[in-house]
Amino acid sequence: MPTATAASATALRTGSNGVPVVPVRAFLALVAAGFRRTTTYRLAALAGVVANVTFGYIRGAVLLAVAGAATVASSGYSADGLMTYNWLTQAALGPLAIWGTTEITERVRNGDIAVDLARPVGLMGTYLAQDLGRAGASLLLRSVPTVLVGALTVGMTMPGTPGPWLLGGVAVLLGLLLSFLSRFLLQLASFWIVETRGLQTLYMVVSGFFAGLVFPLALMPAPLRVAAAATPFPSMLQHPVDVLSGRITGGAAWELVGVQVLWLVVLAVAGHLVLRAGTRRLVVQGG
């Protein structure tokens, strides 16, 4: 049975024809709130930059150590290409939050999810807006300094024409949306499962590996590349980096963006259906 809170929330979020309504002003206010909340913790951002740069040097040294291997040469990566991949993926860690988030899980556990369900913006819209604000702040505070350090100390090879930059920007935005939807779906498991730390840990391992964070997917054995292609994770990190760095250009780059759009539709529909089922089932406990 749907709770009274869930029923009232549904009424607030839908128009007379049943189509979800997202108030634009409320959405933008939530984006701004997410941005302000992240920029408030500047020391945390500085610590994030230090961590990104430190592991960037360590990971870069490992990648350079294997740069001469036959598998690397056959993949099309040069030493400079590996360094560009290394620093771009390190810079993307903050905005993507690829390790997962637990805010919705905690709010379901303590009952605060009832407040979220009563807001005029739906649960997915609320957390998407906040996450976009968070990602924008992280991009400025963590990603830009990380890339600058990598470019000035090690060197990076970026495209000299605007095309890859523009299409790469679209791919990065799509990657951010995919990361949010994937994490959102994971947290919705808390509507059914009280303890989700096991799922969170599994997600951290699988997402980092299949997104191309550990190594570029082109360096992995064929079976693992096939397995990764069956998930949305490459579209969150590997594909945006390939397009933005100019490693993949032309029709192949547009094909990668098309795959991102396909996964975006799949995850958005899945998120809507799972959220609706979870809202119907939810029994709020606690405050």
Side-chain angles (χ1 to χ4, degrees), residues 21 29 72-73 81 87 106-107 117 133 145 177 197 206-207 211 214-215 233 271 279:
V21 176
V72 178
W87 288 104
E106 294 300 325
R107 293 180 72 82
L117 292 174
L177 294 174
R197 282 181 294 184
V206 174
S207 63
V214 180
F215 283 103
F233 299 124
T279 302

Side-chain angles (χ1 to χ4, degrees), residues 71-153:
T71 54
V72 178
S74 63
S75 71
Y77 278 101
S78 63
D80 289 342
L82 284 175
M83 288 302 95
T84 301
Y85 155 84
N86 173 54
W87 288 104
L88 287 179
T89 51
Q90 285 297 121
L93 286 178
L96 282 179
I98 201 167
W99 305 126
T101 49
T102 60
E103 186 173 359
I104 296 177
T105 300
E106 294 300 325
R107 293 180 72 82
V108 171
R109 182 178 292 115
N110 62 29
D112 289 343
I113 194 69
V115 177
D116 296 332
L117 292 174
R119 288 175 176 169
V121 181
L123 191 71
M124 184 184 292
T126 296
Y127 282 94
L128 172 59
Q130 293 176 350
D131 197 67
L132 287 176
R134 178 206 58 78
S138 183
L139 186 68
L140 291 176
L141 296 177
R142 292 185 58 175
S143 300
V144 171
T146 298
V147 167
L148 287 177
V149 170
L152 293 174
T153 61

Side-chain angles (χ1 to χ4, degrees), residues 84-256:
T84 301
Y85 155 84
N86 173 54
W87 288 104
L88 287 179
T89 51
Q90 285 297 121
L93 286 178
L96 282 179
I98 201 167
W99 305 126
T101 49
T102 60
E103 186 173 359
I104 296 177
T105 300
E106 294 300 325
R107 293 180 72 82
V108 171
R109 182 178 292 115
N110 62 29
D112 289 343
I113 194 69
V115 177
D116 296 332
L117 292 174
R119 288 175 176 169
V121 181
L123 191 71
M124 184 184 292
T126 296
Y127 282 94
L128 172 59
Q130 293 176 350
D131 197 67
L132 287 176
R134 178 206 58 78
S138 183
L139 186 68
L140 291 176
L141 296 177
R142 292 185 58 175
S143 300
V144 171
T146 298
V147 167
L148 287 177
V149 170
L152 293 174
T153 61
V154 179
M156 296 173 58
T157 304
M158 297 297 292
T161 57
W165 288 92
L166 295 175
L167 188 58
V170 173
V172 168
L173 176 60
L174 290 172
L176 291 173
L177 294 174
L178 286 170
S179 177
F180 164 76
L181 288 171
S182 182
R183 289 180 279 114
F184 182 77
L185 270 169
L186 176 67
Q187 292 185 85
L188 291 183
S190 59
F191 281 72
W192 289 270
I193 304 172
V194 175
E195 181 53 71
T196 61
R197 282 181 294 184
L199 286 176
Q200 292 281 349
T201 301
L202 179 63
Y203 179 86
M204 288 173 57
V205 174
V206 174
S207 63
F209 193 76
F210 281 169
L213 178 62
V214 180
F215 283 103
L217 295 179
L219 304 186
M220 294 183 180
L224 289 179
R225 292 200 302 270
V226 172
T231 72
F233 299 124
S235 291
M236 298 177 194
L237 184 64
Q238 180 75 65
H239 293 172
V241 168
D242 282 343
V243 176
L244 183 61
S245 65
R247 179 177 177 270
I248 304 295
T249 58
W254 283 100
E255 183 177 335
L256 292 184

